[in-house]
Amino acid sequence: MRRLTQPGPAPPERIVARAGHAETRDFALSAGDSLNDALTRPLAQAGFHSGAIVFEGAVLAPFRYYLPGPSADAAHAAWFAGPHEAAFARIETANATFGWRDGAPYVHCHAVWVEPEGIRRGGHIIPEASTVRDAGTARAWALRDVVVSAAYDPETNFTLFVPQDGPDAPGLIAARLRPNEDLCVAIESLCRTRGIIAAAVRGSVGSLVGARFTHGDSVADHATEVLVRQGVVREVDGAPRAELSLLVADMRGQVHEGVLTRGENAVCITFELFLEPLRP
């Protein structure tokens, strides 16, 4: 498995997680709002403090985004390329983490979209700089009693979303997976520590050190932006086994799709996971 050396010390705790009761909310994005306000306002006004969001169909204009990119120095293992801009983009599919930054609601959003002239790309949407022109539909798995907020991370030298507070009661798990952990194996480890053998991944975004798929294709770039299209945990020989179908954006914005090969896909900077336990 490829790994990426980070600039800071690696703490022994590789998964930070909290859990609580979740509610599912469906809503439309309000035209004229920034994407950040359109996604966060309905949830914050309803008293939620974190959650996973999936949405599709919206047209954003103007539309601004980043692609994954190399770092210019040793201060970071990877960085952003951009910002880039398109006159508009129609969102094919997107996942977002709802949390708090500088005391205000904020989302971390990865998506696949279609730009003018039919150009299809993927990457990291800048939510405060992109505006909803045509409303799309969104679904959120939202938590009232678990707070996800941005905090400085010495290992990566980034400010990242991390579950900070909450009762850690049975229910939807909000987790942050640290760098150089295989994504599937880390999810299985989280399940074992909590006695879970069946679960569904809701939303969830992050970055990987390239990507390797079960159908044989791979992404060579050392940093990618990813979102989970479908993720499940099933019982196999009495233990949890994760299977994840991802959309992966490389450093040119090209989109790769497939089921990840277990044991061969390390987290690059961070992975924000929302895991809903299910009855076996």
Side-chain angles (χ1 to χ4, degrees):
M1 185 176 68
R2 296 171 63 195
R3 291 174 170 84
L4 195 62
T5 301
Q6 298 295 329
E13 183 185 29
R14 307 310 293 163
I15 302 172
V16 181
R18 298 287 187 274
H21 174 70
E23 299 177 33
T24 304
R25 294 290 180 102
D26 295 315
F27 59 96
L29 308 186
S30 296
D33 282 349
S34 71
L35 179 63
N36 191 73
D37 289 347
L39 290 174
T40 64
R41 184 182 295 123
L43 300 177
Q45 289 182 343
F48 295 106
H49 291 97
S50 64
I53 305 171
V54 299
F55 66 98
E56 61 183 14
V59 175
L60 305 181
F63 177 68
R64 295 182 175 90
Y65 64 93
Y66 290 113
L67 299 177
S71 177
D73 52 41
H76 300 90
W79 194 245
F80 299 103
H84 301 283
E85 183 171 355
F88 69 87
R90 180 174 297 279
I91 302 302
E92 180 181 304
T93 186
N95 290 0
T97 299
F98 161 53
W100 298 77
R101 189 181 75 172
D102 299 327
Y106 195 71
V107 289
H108 177 199
C109 181
H110 291 178
V112 173
W113 60 83
V114 179
E115 296 178 17
E117 302 178 357
I119 299 171
R120 183 176 186 250
R121 286 196 177 95
H124 171 116
I125 299 178
I126 306 173
E128 67 274 29
S130 300
T131 300
V132 179
R133 190 188 76 184
D134 300 336
T137 57
R139 168 166 287 191
W141 291 264
L143 292 156
R144 297 184 188 276
D145 50 3
V146 174
V147 177
V148 170
S149 59
Y152 175 69
D153 176 50
E155 181 180 6
T156 62
N157 199 25
F158 278 98
T159 296
L160 303 170
F161 269 160
V162 183
Q164 301 282 356
D165 299 297
D168 214 19
L172 182 72
I173 300 167
R176 187 245 163 156
L177 311 182
R178 296 188 185 274
N180 295 317
E181 301 298 310
D182 175 75
L183 183 54
C184 290
V185 173
I187 291 172
E188 293 164 6
S189 176
L190 177 62
C191 288
R192 284 195 301 272
T193 62
R194 292 173 177 260
I196 297 168
I197 58 173
V201 177
R202 304 303 186 190
S204 302
V205 301
S207 57
L208 295 177
V209 182
R212 292 177 179 173
F213 301 107
T214 57
H215 63 264
D217 287 353
S218 63
V219 180
D221 293 343
H222 72 271
T224 63
E225 302 275 35
V226 309
L227 64 152
V228 177
R229 182 169 53 185
Q230 184 177 17
V232 296
V233 177
R234 299 185 179 93
E235 182 181 4
V236 176
D237 297 328
R241 179 61 66 96
E243 181 178 290
L244 300 176
S245 175
L246 261 62
L247 296 170
V248 177
D250 64 21
M251 290 182 175
R252 292 154 297 283
Q254 295 175 344
V255 180
H256 309 260
E257 308 175 37
V259 175
L260 290 183
T261 301
R262 182 180 182 273
E264 297 185 17
N265 291 280
V267 173
C268 179
I269 301 298
T270 192
F271 197 89
E272 298 157 5
L273 172 73
F274 288 85
L275 191 67
E276 180 182 13
L278 301 174
R279 291 183 178 179

